Amino acid sequence: MINESVEDYLGAIYRLRGDHQTPLPLSRLQEYFDFSRVSIHEMIQRLEEQGFVTYHPYHGVLLTDSGETVAIALLRRHRLWERFLTDMLQLPWDEAHEVACQLEHAAAEGVTERLADLLGNPEACPHGAAIPPHFRESRGEPLTTLKAAETEHVILRIWPEESEVLRFLKQVHLGPGSHLRVVQQTHQQTLAEVEGSVLSLPTHVAEAIWVTSI
């Protein structure tokens, strides 16, 4: 059994690096966990001793093959539980994310695979992220990178899956599959037209919305 804190760190490294394969700065982990720099560094040293990560001073941390395996298994459990909680129990997706953060540590592999069978082996979580092993090619771009234009876009996924962002998007009824058009970009917000209405999306929300043109 792998310690929960170890799984949390490996999963966080995997999530925070996104589509990049470069070392993740420890400052990102410090911000994510809200732990001291010393605590983060001590944990990374332990993970390196256990063979889960490789630390590059002044650059950041990379997952080893072993660390990647643990992180991917964690994400599979997390995203399957999110599907179960939203599809079967009708929990709002922000609540499902928070509950799945607890359940992801509890389920054995056999339970996880039975859950996958029950759900029909879904390919993506409610937020649009691929459920391993159904990895899809990285595609799309954050909404904040788009200029105002007549081009319509569709939301592919929400990443990173932060509870505050998910709650905001639930309130404005936006999620994977929603269509929108950028009206204006500023440093504080993105104005987007959705079904004839203009929504003001704070920058930290807009940058978590990944889209592609239709």
Side-chain angles (χ1 to χ4, degrees):
M1 264 316 262
I2 297 177
N3 186 284
E4 285 188 16
S5 61
V6 169
E7 288 186 327
D8 282 339
Y9 266 81
L10 298 178
I13 294 169
Y14 190 96
R15 288 180 172 103
L16 293 173
R17 79 179 188 192
D19 299 325
H20 305 291
Q21 298 298 325
T22 53
L24 179 76
L26 298 194
S27 58
R28 295 289 307 282
L29 289 172
Q30 185 179 355
E31 180 182 321
Y32 181 84
F33 287 113
D34 196 23
F35 294 161
S36 71
R37 184 172 182 176
V38 172
S39 295
I40 296 291
H41 194 269
E42 288 178 348
M43 187 60 176
I44 293 302
Q45 285 183 317
R46 290 201 292 272
L47 292 177
E48 187 168 41
E49 290 170 0
Q50 295 173 43
F52 291 126
V53 304
T54 302
Y55 175 57
H56 300 269
Y58 308 108
H59 293 285
V61 62
L62 285 171
L63 293 173
T64 62
D65 289 344
S66 297
E68 188 107 354
T69 297
V70 173
I72 289 174
L74 181 74
L75 259 66
R76 176 169 170 77
R77 295 195 299 273
H78 179 93
R79 291 171 180 172
L80 284 170
W81 278 117
E82 285 182 324
R83 281 255 72 107
F84 174 79
L85 293 166
T86 56
D87 297 358
M88 308 292 282
L89 301 187
Q90 305 301 309
L91 257 64
W93 69 348
D94 56 316
E95 291 182 32
H97 174 67
E98 293 176 0
V99 175
C101 285
Q102 302 171 38
L103 294 175
E104 66 187 16
H105 298 293
E109 184 177 352
V111 174
T112 301
E113 296 316 308
R114 288 194 177 195
L115 184 62
D117 290 340
L118 174 67
L119 296 169
N121 292 297
E123 295 189 5
C125 77
H127 317 111
I131 297 175
H134 301 290
F135 288 115
R136 297 176 297 208
E137 290 186 8
S138 299
R139 55 199 178 101
E141 53 192 327
L143 193 61
T144 49
T145 64
L146 303 182
K147 296 180 179 178
E150 293 298 324
T151 306
E152 191 172 16
H153 288 74
V154 61
I155 298 177
L156 298 174
R157 58 188 169 123
I158 308 301
W159 184 89
E161 302 158 330
E162 297 179 354
S163 296
E164 179 191 352
V165 171
L166 296 177
R167 281 193 290 271
F168 181 95
L169 293 176
K170 180 182 69 173
Q171 292 174 352
V172 297
H173 307 291
L174 280 183
S178 297
H179 291 196
L180 48 75
R181 181 179 66 84
V182 173
V183 176
Q184 184 183 31
Q185 291 278 17
T186 71
H187 293 298
Q188 291 78 32
Q189 65 180 356
T190 296
L191 296 181
E193 181 182 347
V194 182
E195 297 181 352
S197 299
V198 176
L199 294 177
S200 173
L201 304 172
T203 298
H204 74 282
V205 172
E207 64 188 6
I209 301 174
W210 291 69
V211 301
T212 189
S213 59
I214 299 175

